[in-house]
Amino acid sequence: MIGDFSVAPENDALRAVRVGVITFPGTLDDRDAARAVTIAGGTAVGLWHAEANLQSVDAVIIPGGFSYGDYLRAGAIARFAPLMEKVVDAAAGGMPVLGICNGFQILTEAHLLPGSMIKNNHLKFSCADQLLRVENNTTAWTNAYEAEAGMVVPLKNQDGQYVADEKTLDELEGEGRVVFRYDGGNPNGSRRGIAGISNAAGNVVGLMPHPEHAVEPGFGPDSSAYGEVGLGYGTDGLRIFSSVLNSLVAGGKS
């Protein structure tokens, strides 16, 4: 279960927003995602994959890791978890859902997002701070960013190459559903440099890099798209989590 954290929210309206963080066998970054929610001011709720109960959460994060060891295909087994059936239904009803890295893979396997993830084109594990460009700042998870804003967050994956047929890619581009694009080089061969996408409604977003690892001064990237910072002080990813909290509060939650 997700434990108590030392960072105390100061805003009662934000604190009332409950964001579920799912744990699968092999999930690595559930506590990191939960801490990001807490730092942003919300309440993180631990969700276990085998329990078909969303516990009245207002949004869901599917975090990174290697669910079921990627033994069949990244995200392919996790997609059939009892809780994912509830997530699919909730997403269809408008609940904000974020998939990070393995979570993005799970979202494509669950057909909540189009396309698929395959091994990096260089066939090696990638781990580096990555510059991204926010191409759509109107989703539930990106509204705190300015249009075309940059952000530096860690990237760590082996199956991070986003692929889709040309028709799907054209639709994503034409409908403004490319949410994040790699900037300063494509680290894994993803089609058209796509790092993250959304569904048509904008409530479901998936991305390969890890914003939850760039939310706390002293523990993030060494640089920021908002200016040079000191060792580990990049917090560009925090606005992902602030975005969804503010969206839910503004939309009448709490």
Side-chain angles (χ1 to χ4, degrees), residues 128-225:
D129 292 341
Q130 177 67 46
L131 177 62
L132 304 177
R133 186 169 65 253
V134 181
E135 301 240 323
N136 183 343
N137 68 336
T138 67
T139 77
W141 298 93
T142 57
N143 56 77
Y145 292 94
E146 297 177 356
E148 298 296 312
M151 60 187 295
V152 178
V153 295
L155 173 73
K156 49 173 188 171
N157 62 70
Q158 177 172 279
D159 297 81
Q161 182 180 177
Y162 178 74
V163 296
D165 60 71
E166 289 299 313
K167 181 177 182 293
T168 298
L169 293 171
D170 288 342
E171 289 178 352
L172 291 172
E173 299 275 13
E175 296 172 7
R177 292 167 56 192
V178 176
V179 181
F180 303 98
R181 206 181 302 268
Y182 295 114
D183 205 351
N186 188 331
N188 48 34
S190 290
R191 300 298 184 269
R192 305 191 188 182
I194 292 174
I197 60 173
S198 75
N199 65 343
N203 62 304
V204 179
V205 171
L207 76 162
M208 283 310 296
H210 289 261
E212 79 280 14
H213 295 324
V215 299
E216 190 170 13
F219 298 92
D222 295 339
S223 62
S224 165

